[in-house]
Amino acid sequence: MLATSARHALRRLLERLPCLYGDLLAASPGELPNDRFLQMLIDQELLLREGAAVKAGPALERLYDLGHTLEWLVAEWLRLYCVEHYERLVPVRHGVSLASPAIPDDLDVLAFPDEGPVLIECKSRSKAIEEDHFVRFVARARLLRPFAAIFLVDIENPLPKQRLSQYAHALQRLGLPLRTVQMAFTSPPSASIW
């Protein structure tokens, strides 16, 4: 599921569930996960087969779209990284709502490694990102004062330079120092982090 194309296929799959297994296999190539990927999801009990029907398993039943899937994936990756790095469990949560301090909407991913809190905002469609997203992200970062605040854009190809420039100008207008890092979950760069 680290491949962006697999998450996009998973998003389309989640939109159809529950459904007939045969309908999934009959989907056009690239539209839904292939039969090998479907079988892996079934083997891992992420999908459950009940006769001819398929439904979301316990780990996926709360995921409804790619954004939530990406938040879940980033949180799971952080959990595994922290176990390996610190040799113990570190609190990592996704879809966190805070009442005090009151923060509208939810925090996509929040982790608490030894260095301090890490705040991650996950976006799965670069075209939908507007300056308001940056304003909310910056306001949350200023309020929570994390050790690291990461704005993650999950895409299959690197962001065009024009789009990066727009994002950089928006962040600079908010008075933030900009540091861009290309991070690869798959062989080509698949995410941009600010």
mmCIF file of all heavy atoms in Angstrom, residues 23-66:
data_model
loop_
_atom_site.group_PDB
_atom_site.id
_atom_site.type_symbol
_atom_site.label_atom_id
_atom_site.label_comp_id
_atom_site.label_asym_id
_atom_site.label_seq_id
_atom_site.Cartn_x
_atom_site.Cartn_y
_atom_site.Cartn_z
ATOM 1 N N ASP A 23 -17.631 -8.565 -9.457
ATOM 2 C CA ASP A 23 -17.654 -7.202 -9.998
ATOM 3 C C ASP A 23 -16.283 -6.547 -9.866
ATOM 4 O O ASP A 23 -15.869 -5.770 -10.727
ATOM 5 C CB ASP A 23 -18.697 -6.350 -9.279
ATOM 6 C CG ASP A 23 -20.123 -6.767 -9.613
ATOM 7 O OD1 ASP A 23 -20.314 -7.550 -10.577
ATOM 8 O OD2 ASP A 23 -21.036 -6.317 -8.900
ATOM 9 N N LEU A 24 -15.576 -6.851 -8.787
ATOM 10 C CA LEU A 24 -14.233 -6.295 -8.602
ATOM 11 C C LEU A 24 -13.267 -6.849 -9.641
ATOM 12 O O LEU A 24 -12.449 -6.125 -10.195
ATOM 13 C CB LEU A 24 -13.716 -6.586 -7.195
ATOM 14 C CG LEU A 24 -14.510 -5.994 -6.037
ATOM 15 C CD1 LEU A 24 -13.889 -6.418 -4.715
ATOM 16 C CD2 LEU A 24 -14.594 -4.491 -6.151
ATOM 17 N N LEU A 25 -13.377 -8.155 -9.912
ATOM 18 C CA LEU A 25 -12.486 -8.775 -10.890
ATOM 19 C C LEU A 25 -12.802 -8.311 -12.304
ATOM 20 O O LEU A 25 -11.912 -8.280 -13.158
ATOM 21 C CB LEU A 25 -12.587 -10.299 -10.797
ATOM 22 C CG LEU A 25 -12.091 -10.922 -9.483
ATOM 23 C CD1 LEU A 25 -12.310 -12.423 -9.502
ATOM 24 C CD2 LEU A 25 -10.635 -10.586 -9.230
ATOM 25 N N ALA A 26 -14.055 -7.929 -12.561
ATOM 26 C CA ALA A 26 -14.465 -7.505 -13.898
ATOM 27 C C ALA A 26 -14.146 -6.036 -14.178
ATOM 28 O O ALA A 26 -14.309 -5.583 -15.304
ATOM 29 C CB ALA A 26 -15.967 -7.750 -14.075
ATOM 30 N N ALA A 27 -13.677 -5.295 -13.186
ATOM 31 C CA ALA A 27 -13.369 -3.872 -13.375
ATOM 32 C C ALA A 27 -12.249 -3.713 -14.386
ATOM 33 O O ALA A 27 -11.401 -4.596 -14.552
ATOM 34 C CB ALA A 27 -12.977 -3.236 -12.047
ATOM 35 N N SER A 28 -12.240 -2.599 -15.075
ATOM 36 C CA SER A 28 -11.205 -2.360 -16.079
ATOM 37 C C SER A 28 -9.833 -2.255 -15.407
ATOM 38 O O SER A 28 -9.728 -1.809 -14.265
ATOM 39 C CB SER A 28 -11.520 -1.097 -16.884
ATOM 40 O OG SER A 28 -11.695 0.002 -16.029
ATOM 41 N N PRO A 29 -8.769 -2.666 -16.113
ATOM 42 C CA PRO A 29 -7.419 -2.636 -15.545
ATOM 43 C C PRO A 29 -7.051 -1.246 -15.036
ATOM 44 O O PRO A 29 -7.310 -0.251 -15.688
ATOM 45 C CB PRO A 29 -6.522 -3.050 -16.722
ATOM 46 C CG PRO A 29 -7.426 -3.790 -17.651
ATOM 47 C CD PRO A 29 -8.791 -3.173 -17.476
ATOM 48 N N GLY A 30 -6.462 -1.204 -13.849
ATOM 49 C CA GLY A 30 -6.032 0.040 -13.246
ATOM 50 C C GLY A 30 -7.115 0.755 -12.460
ATOM 51 O O GLY A 30 -6.833 1.648 -11.683
ATOM 52 N N GLU A 31 -8.398 0.372 -12.677
ATOM 53 C CA GLU A 31 -9.478 1.036 -11.959
ATOM 54 C C GLU A 31 -9.532 0.590 -10.505
ATOM 55 O O GLU A 31 -9.698 1.398 -9.600
ATOM 56 C CB GLU A 31 -10.826 0.738 -12.628
ATOM 57 C CG GLU A 31 -11.985 1.427 -11.930
ATOM 58 C CD GLU A 31 -13.328 1.018 -12.505
ATOM 59 O OE1 GLU A 31 -13.365 0.300 -13.524
ATOM 60 O OE2 GLU A 31 -14.337 1.405 -11.911
ATOM 61 N N LEU A 32 -9.374 -0.706 -10.288
ATOM 62 C CA LEU A 32 -9.416 -1.280 -8.944
ATOM 63 C C LEU A 32 -8.176 -2.146 -8.745
ATOM 64 O O LEU A 32 -7.479 -2.469 -9.705
ATOM 65 C CB LEU A 32 -10.679 -2.124 -8.759
ATOM 66 C CG LEU A 32 -12.001 -1.353 -8.778
ATOM 67 C CD1 LEU A 32 -13.163 -2.314 -8.760
ATOM 68 C CD2 LEU A 32 -12.084 -0.392 -7.606
ATOM 69 N N PRO A 33 -7.901 -2.544 -7.503
ATOM 70 C CA PRO A 33 -6.747 -3.426 -7.288
ATOM 71 C C PRO A 33 -6.865 -4.706 -8.117
ATOM 72 O O PRO A 33 -7.968 -5.230 -8.308
ATOM 73 C CB PRO A 33 -6.833 -3.747 -5.784
ATOM 74 C CG PRO A 33 -7.640 -2.642 -5.196
ATOM 75 C CD PRO A 33 -8.599 -2.217 -6.266
ATOM 76 N N ASN A 34 -5.736 -5.199 -8.609
ATOM 77 C CA ASN A 34 -5.769 -6.439 -9.377
ATOM 78 C C ASN A 34 -6.071 -7.618 -8.452
ATOM 79 O O ASN A 34 -6.096 -7.476 -7.228
ATOM 80 C CB ASN A 34 -4.457 -6.636 -10.154
ATOM 81 C CG ASN A 34 -3.252 -6.733 -9.240
ATOM 82 O OD1 ASN A 34 -3.323 -7.252 -8.136
ATOM 83 N ND2 ASN A 34 -2.122 -6.216 -9.705
ATOM 84 N N ASP A 35 -6.283 -8.792 -9.038
ATOM 85 C CA ASP A 35 -6.698 -9.955 -8.234
ATOM 86 C C ASP A 35 -5.650 -10.356 -7.199
ATOM 87 O O ASP A 35 -5.991 -10.779 -6.098
ATOM 88 C CB ASP A 35 -7.084 -11.132 -9.124
ATOM 89 C CG ASP A 35 -5.991 -11.553 -10.093
ATOM 90 O OD1 ASP A 35 -5.027 -10.776 -10.295
ATOM 91 O OD2 ASP A 35 -6.108 -12.647 -10.646
ATOM 92 N N ARG A 36 -4.367 -10.159 -7.504
ATOM 93 C CA ARG A 36 -3.316 -10.476 -6.530
ATOM 94 C C ARG A 36 -3.383 -9.548 -5.315
ATOM 95 O O ARG A 36 -3.266 -9.967 -4.172
ATOM 96 C CB ARG A 36 -1.941 -10.379 -7.213
ATOM 97 C CG ARG A 36 -0.849 -11.110 -6.458
ATOM 98 C CD ARG A 36 0.460 -10.994 -7.159
ATOM 99 N NE ARG A 36 1.002 -9.701 -6.741
ATOM 100 C CZ ARG A 36 1.911 -9.018 -7.400
ATOM 101 N NH1 ARG A 36 2.404 -9.465 -8.510
ATOM 102 N NH2 ARG A 36 2.344 -7.865 -6.950
ATOM 103 N N PHE A 37 -3.590 -8.253 -5.571
ATOM 104 C CA PHE A 37 -3.723 -7.269 -4.502
ATOM 105 C C PHE A 37 -5.000 -7.535 -3.699
ATOM 106 O O PHE A 37 -4.990 -7.463 -2.465
ATOM 107 C CB PHE A 37 -3.714 -5.859 -5.088
ATOM 108 C CG PHE A 37 -3.649 -4.759 -4.055
ATOM 109 C CD1 PHE A 37 -2.664 -4.752 -3.080
ATOM 110 C CD2 PHE A 37 -4.561 -3.720 -4.073
ATOM 111 C CE1 PHE A 37 -2.599 -3.735 -2.139
ATOM 112 C CE2 PHE A 37 -4.507 -2.702 -3.143
ATOM 113 C CZ PHE A 37 -3.516 -2.706 -2.173
ATOM 114 N N LEU A 38 -6.095 -7.858 -4.389
ATOM 115 C CA LEU A 38 -7.341 -8.200 -3.692
ATOM 116 C C LEU A 38 -7.127 -9.401 -2.775
ATOM 117 O O LEU A 38 -7.590 -9.418 -1.634
ATOM 118 C CB LEU A 38 -8.461 -8.498 -4.688
ATOM 119 C CG LEU A 38 -9.095 -7.305 -5.377
ATOM 120 C CD1 LEU A 38 -10.035 -7.772 -6.481
ATOM 121 C CD2 LEU A 38 -9.829 -6.434 -4.377
ATOM 122 N N GLN A 39 -6.418 -10.412 -3.273
ATOM 123 C CA GLN A 39 -6.169 -11.596 -2.456
ATOM 124 C C GLN A 39 -5.312 -11.263 -1.243
ATOM 125 O O GLN A 39 -5.541 -11.769 -0.153
ATOM 126 C CB GLN A 39 -5.507 -12.706 -3.289
ATOM 127 C CG GLN A 39 -5.432 -14.034 -2.563
ATOM 128 C CD GLN A 39 -6.814 -14.533 -2.141
ATOM 129 O OE1 GLN A 39 -7.729 -14.621 -2.941
ATOM 130 N NE2 GLN A 39 -6.969 -14.870 -0.863
ATOM 131 N N MET A 40 -4.329 -10.377 -1.418
ATOM 132 C CA MET A 40 -3.512 -9.947 -0.282
ATOM 133 C C MET A 40 -4.379 -9.245 0.757
ATOM 134 O O MET A 40 -4.249 -9.476 1.956
ATOM 135 C CB MET A 40 -2.384 -9.019 -0.754
ATOM 136 C CG MET A 40 -1.397 -8.610 0.337
ATOM 137 S SD MET A 40 -1.812 -7.138 1.319
ATOM 138 C CE MET A 40 -1.953 -5.855 0.115
ATOM 139 N N LEU A 41 -5.298 -8.379 0.318
ATOM 140 C CA LEU A 41 -6.212 -7.689 1.240
ATOM 141 C C LEU A 41 -7.096 -8.697 1.989
ATOM 142 O O LEU A 41 -7.364 -8.532 3.178
ATOM 143 C CB LEU A 41 -7.074 -6.671 0.489
ATOM 144 C CG LEU A 41 -6.331 -5.480 -0.121
ATOM 145 C CD1 LEU A 41 -7.280 -4.652 -0.984
ATOM 146 C CD2 LEU A 41 -5.697 -4.617 0.949
ATOM 147 N N ILE A 42 -7.518 -9.741 1.290
ATOM 148 C CA ILE A 42 -8.337 -10.793 1.919
ATOM 149 C C ILE A 42 -7.483 -11.608 2.886
ATOM 150 O O ILE A 42 -7.901 -11.882 4.020
ATOM 151 C CB ILE A 42 -8.993 -11.686 0.841
ATOM 152 C CG1 ILE A 42 -10.062 -10.873 0.089
ATOM 153 C CG2 ILE A 42 -9.597 -12.944 1.465
ATOM 154 C CD1 ILE A 42 -10.576 -11.535 -1.171
ATOM 155 N N ASP A 43 -6.271 -11.974 2.479
ATOM 156 C CA ASP A 43 -5.377 -12.744 3.352
ATOM 157 C C ASP A 43 -5.054 -11.990 4.638
ATOM 158 O O ASP A 43 -4.922 -12.591 5.702
ATOM 159 C CB ASP A 43 -4.069 -13.091 2.630
ATOM 160 C CG ASP A 43 -4.257 -14.088 1.505
ATOM 161 O OD1 ASP A 43 -5.334 -14.732 1.442
ATOM 162 O OD2 ASP A 43 -3.343 -14.204 0.672
ATOM 163 N N GLN A 44 -4.912 -10.672 4.538
ATOM 164 C CA GLN A 44 -4.601 -9.854 5.711
ATOM 165 C C GLN A 44 -5.863 -9.477 6.495
ATOM 166 O O GLN A 44 -5.791 -8.728 7.460
ATOM 167 C CB GLN A 44 -3.873 -8.574 5.279
ATOM 168 C CG GLN A 44 -2.539 -8.817 4.633
ATOM 169 C CD GLN A 44 -1.540 -9.435 5.596
ATOM 170 O OE1 GLN A 44 -1.471 -9.045 6.751
ATOM 171 N NE2 GLN A 44 -0.779 -10.401 5.129
ATOM 172 N N GLU A 45 -7.006 -9.970 6.032
ATOM 173 C CA GLU A 45 -8.318 -9.699 6.639
ATOM 174 C C GLU A 45 -8.666 -8.215 6.632
ATOM 175 O O GLU A 45 -9.408 -7.731 7.478
ATOM 176 C CB GLU A 45 -8.416 -10.298 8.043
ATOM 177 C CG GLU A 45 -8.309 -11.805 8.033
ATOM 178 C CD GLU A 45 -8.446 -12.436 9.410
ATOM 179 O OE1 GLU A 45 -8.565 -11.710 10.415
ATOM 180 O OE2 GLU A 45 -8.446 -13.677 9.461
ATOM 181 N N LEU A 46 -8.108 -7.496 5.667
ATOM 182 C CA LEU A 46 -8.524 -6.114 5.446
ATOM 183 C C LEU A 46 -9.848 -6.108 4.686
ATOM 184 O O LEU A 46 -10.653 -5.194 4.812
ATOM 185 C CB LEU A 46 -7.456 -5.335 4.688
ATOM 186 C CG LEU A 46 -6.126 -5.190 5.432
ATOM 187 C CD1 LEU A 46 -5.052 -4.614 4.524
ATOM 188 C CD2 LEU A 46 -6.296 -4.336 6.671
ATOM 189 N N LEU A 47 -10.050 -7.143 3.859
ATOM 190 C CA LEU A 47 -11.329 -7.401 3.203
ATOM 191 C C LEU A 47 -11.834 -8.755 3.681
ATOM 192 O O LEU A 47 -11.039 -9.664 3.925
ATOM 193 C CB LEU A 47 -11.176 -7.454 1.675
ATOM 194 C CG LEU A 47 -10.797 -6.184 0.939
ATOM 195 C CD1 LEU A 47 -10.685 -6.465 -0.547
ATOM 196 C CD2 LEU A 47 -11.810 -5.086 1.194
ATOM 197 N N LEU A 48 -13.136 -8.872 3.800
ATOM 198 C CA LEU A 48 -13.754 -10.145 4.197
ATOM 199 C C LEU A 48 -14.669 -10.615 3.083
ATOM 200 O O LEU A 48 -15.460 -9.836 2.556
ATOM 201 C CB LEU A 48 -14.553 -9.965 5.492
ATOM 202 C CG LEU A 48 -13.766 -9.493 6.716
ATOM 203 C CD1 LEU A 48 -14.715 -9.273 7.890
ATOM 204 C CD2 LEU A 48 -12.676 -10.485 7.087
ATOM 205 N N ARG A 49 -14.539 -11.904 2.714
ATOM 206 C CA ARG A 49 -15.436 -12.496 1.719
ATOM 207 C C ARG A 49 -16.529 -13.246 2.451
ATOM 208 O O ARG A 49 -16.264 -14.030 3.352
ATOM 209 C CB ARG A 49 -14.683 -13.462 0.813
ATOM 210 C CG ARG A 49 -13.968 -12.746 -0.295
ATOM 211 C CD ARG A 49 -13.399 -13.670 -1.300
ATOM 212 N NE ARG A 49 -14.425 -14.159 -2.211
ATOM 213 C CZ ARG A 49 -14.175 -14.888 -3.277
ATOM 214 N NH1 ARG A 49 -12.957 -15.234 -3.544
ATOM 215 N NH2 ARG A 49 -15.143 -15.295 -4.043
ATOM 216 N N GLU A 50 -17.752 -12.967 2.066
ATOM 217 C CA GLU A 50 -18.910 -13.680 2.591
ATOM 218 C C GLU A 50 -19.677 -14.216 1.410
ATOM 219 O O GLU A 50 -20.481 -13.497 0.808
ATOM 220 C CB GLU A 50 -19.775 -12.757 3.452
ATOM 221 C CG GLU A 50 -19.065 -12.310 4.721
ATOM 222 C CD GLU A 50 -19.901 -11.353 5.558
ATOM 223 O OE1 GLU A 50 -20.902 -10.798 5.050
ATOM 224 O OE2 GLU A 50 -19.536 -11.147 6.720
ATOM 225 N N GLY A 51 -19.377 -15.459 1.031
ATOM 226 C CA GLY A 51 -19.969 -16.027 -0.180
ATOM 227 C C GLY A 51 -19.410 -15.289 -1.387
ATOM 228 O O GLY A 51 -18.211 -15.165 -1.557
ATOM 229 N N ALA A 52 -20.301 -14.741 -2.207
ATOM 230 C CA ALA A 52 -19.886 -14.010 -3.403
ATOM 231 C C ALA A 52 -19.620 -12.539 -3.114
ATOM 232 O O ALA A 52 -19.132 -11.816 -3.972
ATOM 233 C CB ALA A 52 -20.962 -14.131 -4.482
ATOM 234 N N ALA A 53 -19.921 -12.090 -1.902
ATOM 235 C CA ALA A 53 -19.781 -10.673 -1.562
ATOM 236 C C ALA A 53 -18.455 -10.398 -0.857
ATOM 237 O O ALA A 53 -17.846 -11.281 -0.267
ATOM 238 C CB ALA A 53 -20.933 -10.248 -0.658
ATOM 239 N N VAL A 54 -18.023 -9.156 -0.937
ATOM 240 C CA VAL A 54 -16.812 -8.685 -0.262
ATOM 241 C C VAL A 54 -17.194 -7.437 0.527
ATOM 242 O O VAL A 54 -17.925 -6.577 0.037
ATOM 243 C CB VAL A 54 -15.710 -8.315 -1.280
ATOM 244 C CG1 VAL A 54 -14.473 -7.795 -0.576
ATOM 245 C CG2 VAL A 54 -15.362 -9.490 -2.150
ATOM 246 N N LYS A 55 -16.692 -7.364 1.760
ATOM 247 C CA LYS A 55 -16.912 -6.168 2.569
ATOM 248 C C LYS A 55 -15.614 -5.802 3.270
ATOM 249 O O LYS A 55 -14.668 -6.593 3.301
ATOM 250 C CB LYS A 55 -18.037 -6.385 3.578
ATOM 251 C CG LYS A 55 -17.707 -7.378 4.669
ATOM 252 C CD LYS A 55 -18.857 -7.463 5.660
ATOM 253 C CE LYS A 55 -18.420 -8.217 6.908
ATOM 254 N NZ LYS A 55 -19.420 -8.190 7.948
ATOM 255 N N ALA A 56 -15.564 -4.603 3.826
ATOM 256 C CA ALA A 56 -14.369 -4.146 4.531
ATOM 257 C C ALA A 56 -14.185 -4.949 5.809
ATOM 258 O O ALA A 56 -15.144 -5.223 6.528
ATOM 259 C CB ALA A 56 -14.495 -2.663 4.862
ATOM 260 N N GLY A 57 -12.943 -5.328 6.084
ATOM 261 C CA GLY A 57 -12.620 -6.005 7.328
ATOM 262 C C GLY A 57 -12.481 -4.992 8.453
ATOM 263 O O GLY A 57 -12.577 -3.781 8.232
ATOM 264 N N PRO A 58 -12.225 -5.466 9.668
ATOM 265 C CA PRO A 58 -12.167 -4.563 10.829
ATOM 266 C C PRO A 58 -11.174 -3.407 10.678
ATOM 267 O O PRO A 58 -11.470 -2.297 11.087
ATOM 268 C CB PRO A 58 -11.748 -5.484 11.975
ATOM 269 C CG PRO A 58 -12.119 -6.854 11.529
ATOM 270 C CD PRO A 58 -12.032 -6.864 10.037
ATOM 271 N N ALA A 59 -10.018 -3.649 10.071
ATOM 272 C CA ALA A 59 -9.015 -2.589 9.955
ATOM 273 C C ALA A 59 -9.396 -1.517 8.930
ATOM 274 O O ALA A 59 -8.902 -0.406 8.985
ATOM 275 C CB ALA A 59 -7.656 -3.181 9.588
ATOM 276 N N LEU A 60 -10.282 -1.857 7.986
ATOM 277 C CA LEU A 60 -10.655 -0.904 6.940
ATOM 278 C C LEU A 60 -12.054 -0.334 7.113
ATOM 279 O O LEU A 60 -12.415 0.613 6.421
ATOM 280 C CB LEU A 60 -10.592 -1.572 5.556
ATOM 281 C CG LEU A 60 -9.216 -1.896 5.003
ATOM 282 C CD1 LEU A 60 -9.340 -2.512 3.619
ATOM 283 C CD2 LEU A 60 -8.335 -0.671 4.951
ATOM 284 N N GLU A 61 -12.854 -0.877 8.020
ATOM 285 C CA GLU A 61 -14.250 -0.463 8.063
ATOM 286 C C GLU A 61 -14.434 1.003 8.442
ATOM 287 O O GLU A 61 -15.472 1.578 8.152
ATOM 288 C CB GLU A 61 -15.076 -1.378 8.953
ATOM 289 C CG GLU A 61 -14.701 -1.380 10.409
ATOM 290 C CD GLU A 61 -15.415 -2.481 11.179
ATOM 291 O OE1 GLU A 61 -16.212 -3.212 10.594
ATOM 292 O OE2 GLU A 61 -15.158 -2.598 12.384
ATOM 293 N N ARG A 62 -13.455 1.636 9.061
ATOM 294 C CA ARG A 62 -13.567 3.060 9.392
ATOM 295 C C ARG A 62 -12.932 3.958 8.337
ATOM 296 O O ARG A 62 -12.935 5.168 8.470
ATOM 297 C CB ARG A 62 -12.931 3.340 10.749
ATOM 298 C CG ARG A 62 -13.722 2.751 11.885
ATOM 299 C CD ARG A 62 -13.176 3.095 13.231
ATOM 300 N NE ARG A 62 -12.365 4.297 13.236
ATOM 301 C CZ ARG A 62 -11.520 4.602 14.198
ATOM 302 N NH1 ARG A 62 -11.374 3.820 15.229
ATOM 303 N NH2 ARG A 62 -10.808 5.708 14.151
ATOM 304 N N LEU A 63 -12.367 3.366 7.285
ATOM 305 C CA LEU A 63 -11.751 4.151 6.220
ATOM 306 C C LEU A 63 -12.754 4.316 5.091
ATOM 307 O O LEU A 63 -13.323 3.353 4.617
ATOM 308 C CB LEU A 63 -10.497 3.458 5.696
ATOM 309 C CG LEU A 63 -9.400 3.212 6.726
ATOM 310 C CD1 LEU A 63 -8.249 2.468 6.092
ATOM 311 C CD2 LEU A 63 -8.915 4.514 7.327
ATOM 312 N N TYR A 64 -12.963 5.562 4.667
ATOM 313 C CA TYR A 64 -13.966 5.826 3.653
ATOM 314 C C TYR A 64 -13.408 6.463 2.394
ATOM 315 O O TYR A 64 -14.071 6.516 1.382
ATOM 316 C CB TYR A 64 -15.062 6.740 4.227
ATOM 317 C CG TYR A 64 -15.687 6.154 5.453
ATOM 318 C CD1 TYR A 64 -15.370 6.644 6.712
ATOM 319 C CD2 TYR A 64 -16.554 5.078 5.362
ATOM 320 C CE1 TYR A 64 -15.924 6.088 7.847
ATOM 321 C CE2 TYR A 64 -17.112 4.518 6.489
ATOM 322 C CZ TYR A 64 -16.801 5.024 7.731
ATOM 323 O OH TYR A 64 -17.336 4.468 8.848
ATOM 324 N N ASP A 65 -12.221 7.005 2.455
ATOM 325 C CA ASP A 65 -11.659 7.640 1.283
ATOM 326 C C ASP A 65 -10.137 7.613 1.354
ATOM 327 O O ASP A 65 -9.560 7.207 2.352
ATOM 328 C CB ASP A 65 -12.177 9.068 1.113
ATOM 329 C CG ASP A 65 -11.860 9.956 2.304
ATOM 330 O OD1 ASP A 65 -10.738 9.876 2.842
ATOM 331 O OD2 ASP A 65 -12.729 10.734 2.699
ATOM 332 N N LEU A 66 -9.510 8.057 0.285
ATOM 333 C CA LEU A 66 -8.051 8.005 0.213
ATOM 334 C C LEU A 66 -7.394 8.841 1.292
ATOM 335 O O LEU A 66 -6.374 8.473 1.836
ATOM 336 C CB LEU A 66 -7.584 8.463 -1.168
ATOM 337 C CG LEU A 66 -6.079 8.440 -1.410
ATOM 338 C CD1 LEU A 66 -5.545 7.029 -1.304
ATOM 339 C CD2 LEU A 66 -5.737 9.023 -2.744
#
